Amino acid sequence: MASPLPQPMKLPPFSLLLAALCLAFWPALHWFVAGTLDGSNDSAGLLAIAAAAASIALTPKRAALARPLLLPSACLAAYLAATACHVPVPARSLVFALALTTLASSLRLGKRFDMALFALCILALPFAATLQFYLGYPLRVIAGDLSVFLLRMNGIAVAREGAMLAWHGQLVAIDAPCSGVKMLWAGLLLAATLAGAVRLSSLRTAAALMLAIVAVVAANAVRATALFYMEAGIVQLPATAHGAIGIVSFAAAGAGILFMTRRLEPPAA
């Protein structure tokens, strides 16, 4: 008589495995909670967590892949090696985000790795102050260069000096709040959420995220250009117009991200 085939090992519930993973990555989880509640960062990352949780919960549960714990275990091994090498906790938190992604992807989404979910996990990390420090000035310079191009097309001979626009002896600053860092974060959040909602492949999701960056940088340059007319006194507008211009600029970028993400959606079979 033929021997019965071995039965696959039954895994614990996803919630239990998720709790175990969080316990294993406890230092990174503690850093995440402390950083999110820290006044130097904002709590916007909670929106990314909510979007990631909704992406997992609202997606019809699919059969778990073979060896679903392979990649999460590899992430745990990488985390332990990084800990032994005294890698800072913020850097190790990226491995934590990857481990969460691979666990949920394998057990709930029916794939090894979901790029949209990984992007949401990364966006949830409290890096707001760090991003503002490292990306704030370069984004202001890019916005300044693009604004100079747009203004010269309209016959206004301006020049960029650092993060300021020089015109007729006056300097109009592109200040830190107008760097576009927060707009960029929000644009990536929108793109990742939409990509997860329509179940784009990882490659298409990466394309959507890159296009979102382009859309936000362009929208921020238009915002800086519009604000130049206001700050230089060329056009007289009330003070409330400053915020309104920012809202309209981001709305335009959001509409572009929505359009491009839907265009990347594969045709229905």
Side-chain angles (χ1 to χ4, degrees):
M1 180 182 295
S3 59
L5 294 175
Q7 296 296 321
M9 182 181 64
K10 186 175 181 180
L11 294 172
F14 171 71
S15 57
L16 184 59
L17 289 172
L18 181 61
L21 188 67
C22 291
L23 183 61
F25 285 87
W26 172 249
L29 181 62
H30 179 269
W31 170 84
F32 166 76
V33 174
T36 301
L37 300 178
D38 187 3
S40 63
N41 288 291
D42 52 43
S43 301
L46 297 176
L47 293 175
I49 294 178
S55 176
I56 296 172
L58 298 178
T59 300
K61 185 177 179 180
R62 302 179 182 178
L65 302 178
R67 299 189 298 277
L69 301 183
L70 178 62
L71 289 182
S73 299
C75 291
L76 179 58
Y79 181 84
L80 293 175
T83 302
C85 295
H86 305 289
V87 175
V89 176
R92 280 185 273 155
S93 69
L94 300 175
V95 183
F96 180 35
L98 182 60
L100 289 174
T101 301
T102 55
L103 181 68
S105 297
S106 296
L107 294 179
R108 299 302 296 265
L109 305 181
K111 55 172 68 174
R112 290 292 179 190
F113 178 79
D114 186 81
M115 176 63 76
L117 183 59
F118 181 60
L120 291 173
C121 290
I122 293 296
L123 292 172
L125 299 176
F127 284 134
T130 303
L131 292 177
Q132 190 64 251
F133 181 81
Y134 286 105
L135 295 182
Y137 183 78
L139 287 176
R140 290 159 65 193
V141 170
I142 293 173
D145 284 333
L146 293 176
S147 296
V148 167
F149 174 75
L150 294 174
L151 290 168
R152 286 181 176 177
M153 286 182 60
N154 290 332
I156 301 177
V158 300
R160 180 182 63 81
E161 296 185 6
M164 295 182 289
L165 300 178
W167 181 68
H168 286 187
Q170 61 177 320
L171 294 174
V172 177
I174 303 174
D175 54 11
C178 292
S179 64
V181 171
K182 290 186 177 181
M183 185 186 292
L184 180 60
W185 183 92
L188 290 173
L189 175 66
L190 177 60
T193 302
L194 291 173
V198 300
R199 310 313 308 164
L200 292 184
S201 66
S202 292
L203 183 60
R204 290 174 183 266
T205 299
L209 294 174
M210 294 302 297
L211 291 172
I213 294 174
V214 173
V216 169
V217 169
N220 194 50
V222 173
R223 176 175 69 170
T225 303
L227 290 177
F228 173 84
Y229 284 96
M230 178 179 170
E231 299 297 333
I234 299 175
V235 177
Q236 300 298 325
L237 294 173
T240 55
H242 192 286
I245 291 172
I247 294 173
V248 171
S249 299
F250 179 72
I257 292 171
L258 176 60
F259 173 77
M260 290 183 292
T261 304
R262 294 306 301 267
R263 292 287 294 178
L264 287 170
E265 187 177 358

